[in-house]
Amino acid sequence: MPRNRFLGARLAVTAAAMVGILVVAACEGENLFSVPGGAGTSDARAPEVTITAPRGDSLSAKPLGDSVFVSARVKDNVGVSSVRLYGIAERGNESLGTDTVVDRFAEKEIILGPGVRDTTLTRYLLPVPDSIKETALIVVEATDSVGNVSADTVNLILGGPDVTLLDVVEGQSVQAGLNLATRVVARDPLGIIAIQVDLHGAYEATVKKSISPAADSVLLDSVIPIPDDIRGLVTMTATARNGLDVAGHDGPVTLNVIPAGNGDTIPPRLKQLVTAPERMELQDALTITVTGNDDPQGSGVATVGYTVRGISPARQDTLFATSTSTFDPPRTGTTTTVFRVPTFNVDSLNLPDTLVYEVTTWMRDAAGNCAAATGGDSLGSALCSVLPGGQIVAAARAGERVTRPIVAGKTVLLPSGGQILDAAVDTARGRLYLSNVTRNRLEVFDLHTERFRNDIGVGSEPWGLAFTRDNDSLWVANSGGTNFSVVDLDREHEVDNTRLLTPDVTLFDVELRTGDGISYLITMYPQPTGASFSDRPQFVAVDSFGSVIYSTKATLIAPLGTVRKAYFPPGDSTRPEVKLFVEHANFPLSQNKWALAHIDSISSSVDTITAATDSLPAEIAAGLALYDHVPGYPNQVIKGLARSNELDAVTKAAADLVAQGSDVFIAAGTSWDVASLAFKDTTYVASSGDGSVVAVGEGGAAPVGRVLSYRASPLERTSLTRWQPVAGLLEDASEEVRGLGLNYDGTLGVIRGRAAAYFISPGDLRLQGLTAIPGALQGAGAALDPLHANARTLENLGGQYRPDTHLAFVSSGDHTVDIIDTHHFTRIGRVYIRDVITGPLRAVLPFPDDNAGFRCATIGVRDKAGRFIGNGVKIYQNAEFTTPLAPDGETEDRCVVMKLFATTDAGGVVVVDVRKADVLREHPNR
């Protein structure tokens, strides 16, 4: 409904309520109003609405600026379709035409599903900023499926104390001759100066308490004796006054005084709240919150407990879980107990496994009276029953049912919060390293004890992680700066004074100009007034030469992300060299121009934008000088000179630099296309297991994301392949990169896109196959089996298909990790997990203890050069895809084939054991 029509209808109905114009509704009461449905409808009954909080027959109050808790029961003979809750106030004078209705609490609308005939709704309404003290009207308005409207209203003083009577309910029976325990809570930021409880009716009594000095929050706990001869109805009202002498009330609550009985015969009243994740891991738990109290004259709650019946529909069996909490001395007043019930009756080797948990809670007072609860929003006292096994349940009533799938994985949440952007698995030490970008540290999780070790402080905003070639240290990309930390993995701290400090990089265009004379125009990138290159490292990989290949993070200030190579030159050099990958850029042809990189500066006698450091010799006053340093030795400055009357003078000057040890890059007859060089979105970097190939994948940047690869080469050399647009490679103009992985020897790569997983040969970026991924629009992450090697490509025609290890693991947005055979490009298995993977996905071989006691045959695996690289778990007979091993064959289905690690939208890292049963879950021959 448009907002103006919506307000008009609301004001019309509200006005009718406020002046007492009533239409007959399904339930009676002076605060009720209804609007019948349209003509011709068969249902003429409006819904029934009853507000239970705030209480409706008194002047309840709230301090200004407080939210208000509203609870209401709505019923309809056909079905309630929607409920609106709001708070308003009437101001002005109708006879003078100044009357108006203003909002005092923000409206909430609840749309209900079809067929809801009876429900209780609870919501907090947020206050609308206002400083006027007045009486507001809280309205709960229900509409049924044919348009009948009905509502209930209660008054609420704004600007008075918030008062609540505890442990008594409307219509409660109390015994004569006993004490009536009363508790009142009053709260007001102006301070409470007095509280009073009044009994009227069959018995008159008053309890007063002055508060000095005034307090923001006060609890009155008192006892009122009820004489033996009292019978009949008594109303209880609580009143509190604030520092301005404004009163707030709760009540009246009607109590029924009955003759004295034989001691305490009234059971407690309680309710339960059961919560659990929508998908549960084995270490997750049902959280059961039990709230209740014994009657005000009772002996107090002595024991609280639960009974959970765990039902497996698939296996047709049932187990029980029970526990209790005992109070000594017994608790009077309202008590709340929280239980955590771990998952049980689960087939942990065949996940996912769906369980139905039936939950019953109970309370017993010190006199032995027992009451049970099986759900619902209000306190109740169902009769208790004891099963043959001793479990306490509700008599003739089933417990509250909670159905949950139990899924694979163990999510590791951070001990003190933060956000994880990358994970690295140290199989030798059994540790998981997590980059906590918000806490400037590495979190260290011990995979054997499943406990966090001491964290490791690193640089600002750590992001990407990569092990050094000897696996003794860990590179940490500090994206909040322009440097890398080096963490000693044995000593578990950053090595002092070894942080890799990366220098700035610049590019140059040189143009030879002729006319009245000959001169050079030098343009440096980035330009002072243009977009800047980002120097802040993002993701990182290490190649087989030990060089660090990393992407830089595009920012608002520096929107041009890049890919760079950092290395230490041989010899006694202590300063690293950092080179920008430039070879993948577009180079538009342009006569008499040169594009240069990997030098420090250029000087000319005539230039408009210059980085000159020295004056030119007089004999080449109209010439050019190129300045650089010997890699690793910044103080060893070298120079290449160009004479202006030589058309190839710039090329000769660059050759002069190379002869002196420079690593200058020069492209003649062209200039820089900076846009094609830079990356504008999250840029993933992944290396093959042997470091021979590094892949670079750009996310969904306009006009298109890109995929590039780098073949490891000696330290000073850089070369990214000519980039391949993701849209062209993947044949989808909207496709982008959400994850990237390479196999052991760089013969196959996987790209996780928005719609599918795409498999490429990294050397030539040829598409080898694709597999659709359901729900892939959400989430990220892809990895290949760490023993995946020797895939057959144009560059490796001798490669061989090995189904046991030629596997890919790709996350989906449907809370799964799909397992794909990379020869048939078919999903053959699936692992169901709790959350959605949002970052890099890592795969490692199982640890020795993972398969202890299992029968797990293995096979040896070699790379394309014939080198042995490890033993994988055997899944197939004779390496034939069509003949997977039987569930209890040489390799049991429970054997762990792979361990996966990934960051998730839960804010932690999930550790997943992938079993043989998971790998073959959807295999055509299983």
Side-chain angles (χ1 to χ4, degrees), residues 76 342 385 410 427 473 618 652 915:
D76 189 73
S385 177
K410 179 184 178 72
T427 55
S473 302
K652 289 183 177 180
R915 301 181 184 275

Side-chain angles (χ1 to χ4, degrees), residues 380-401:
S381 299
L383 292 175
C384 292
S385 177
V386 181
L387 298 178
Q391 302 91 356
I392 298 176
V393 295
R397 184 181 299 183
E400 178 180 357
R401 286 201 160 204

Side-chain angles (χ1 to χ4, degrees), residues 459-461 476-485 499-505 533-538 550-553 555 558 564 566 576 578:
S460 175
E461 298 182 9
V476 182
N478 297 318
S479 68
T482 57
N483 53 72
F484 290 80
S485 294
R499 190 169 291 180
L500 192 156
L501 308 176
T502 64
D504 197 7
V505 294
F533 294 136
S534 170
D535 292 339
R536 297 167 61 176
Q538 190 175 49
Y550 65 99
S551 59
T552 62
K553 171 186 175 183
T555 67
R564 307 185 183 197
V578 173

Side-chain angles (χ1 to χ4, degrees), residues 309-567:
R309 193 192 310 253
I311 305 168
S312 170
R315 298 186 304 278
Q316 295 294 308
D317 65 347
T318 299
L319 295 177
F320 286 90
T322 63
S323 185
T324 61
S325 181
T326 302
F327 305 118
D328 187 13
R331 296 278 180 90
T332 58
T334 300
T335 181
T336 297
T337 305
V338 178
F339 296 100
R340 283 180 54 83
V341 185
T343 59
F344 66 98
N345 197 20
V346 179
D347 182 358
S348 61
L349 300 179
N350 191 28
L351 301 177
D353 188 14
T354 298
L355 269 294
V356 178
Y357 292 113
E358 268 191 8
V359 182
T360 301
T361 56
W362 53 271
M363 281 185 173
R364 181 180 286 121
D365 64 20
N369 301 305
C370 181
T374 57
D377 297 319
S378 57
L379 297 173
S381 299
L383 292 175
C384 292
S385 177
V386 181
L387 298 178
Q391 302 91 356
I392 298 176
V393 295
R397 184 181 299 183
E400 178 180 357
R401 286 201 160 204
V402 178
T403 302
R404 291 292 187 270
I406 315 301
V407 296
K410 179 184 178 72
T411 297
V412 180
L413 296 178
L414 301 180
S416 56
Q419 181 182 6
I420 298 301
L421 290 183
D422 203 1
V425 187
D426 184 353
T427 55
R429 298 169 181 81
R431 294 171 194 162
L432 175 65
Y433 302 97
L434 310 172
S435 57
N436 192 333
V437 68
T438 56
R439 298 299 179 96
N440 295 343
R441 67 193 190 195
L442 294 186
E443 309 288 355
V444 185
F445 186 72
D446 191 304
L447 295 170
H448 299 302
T449 65
E450 296 190 346
R451 296 176 181 270
F452 277 97
R453 300 169 66 90
N454 293 333
D455 57 82
I456 302 173
V458 289
S460 175
E461 298 182 9
W463 194 311
L465 305 174
F467 293 105
T468 57
R469 293 306 299 170
D470 58 11
N471 288 317
D472 287 337
S473 302
L474 185 70
W475 289 106
V476 182
N478 297 318
S479 68
T482 57
N483 53 72
F484 290 80
S485 294
V486 181
V487 173
D488 185 315
L489 299 179
D490 290 322
R491 299 170 62 190
E492 295 192 74
H493 71 81
E494 181 178 359
V495 181
D496 296 335
N497 302 318
T498 61
R499 190 169 291 180
L500 192 156
L501 308 176
T502 64
D504 197 7
V505 294
T506 53
L507 304 176
F508 298 90
D509 272 340
V510 176
E511 180 181 1
L512 174 63
R513 290 188 166 186
T514 60
D516 295 338
I518 295 176
S519 62
Y520 289 97
L521 175 67
I522 304 169
T523 304
M524 182 176 68
Y525 302 101
Q527 297 183 3
T529 59
S532 295
F533 294 136
S534 170
D535 292 339
R536 297 167 61 176
Q538 190 175 49
F539 284 110
V540 58
V542 174
D543 72 10
S544 58
F545 291 88
S547 300
V548 177
I549 314 299
Y550 65 99
S551 59
T552 62
K553 171 186 175 183
T555 67
L556 291 176
I557 298 175
L560 302 179
T562 62
V563 178
R564 307 185 183 197
K565 176 177 182 176
Y567 67 94

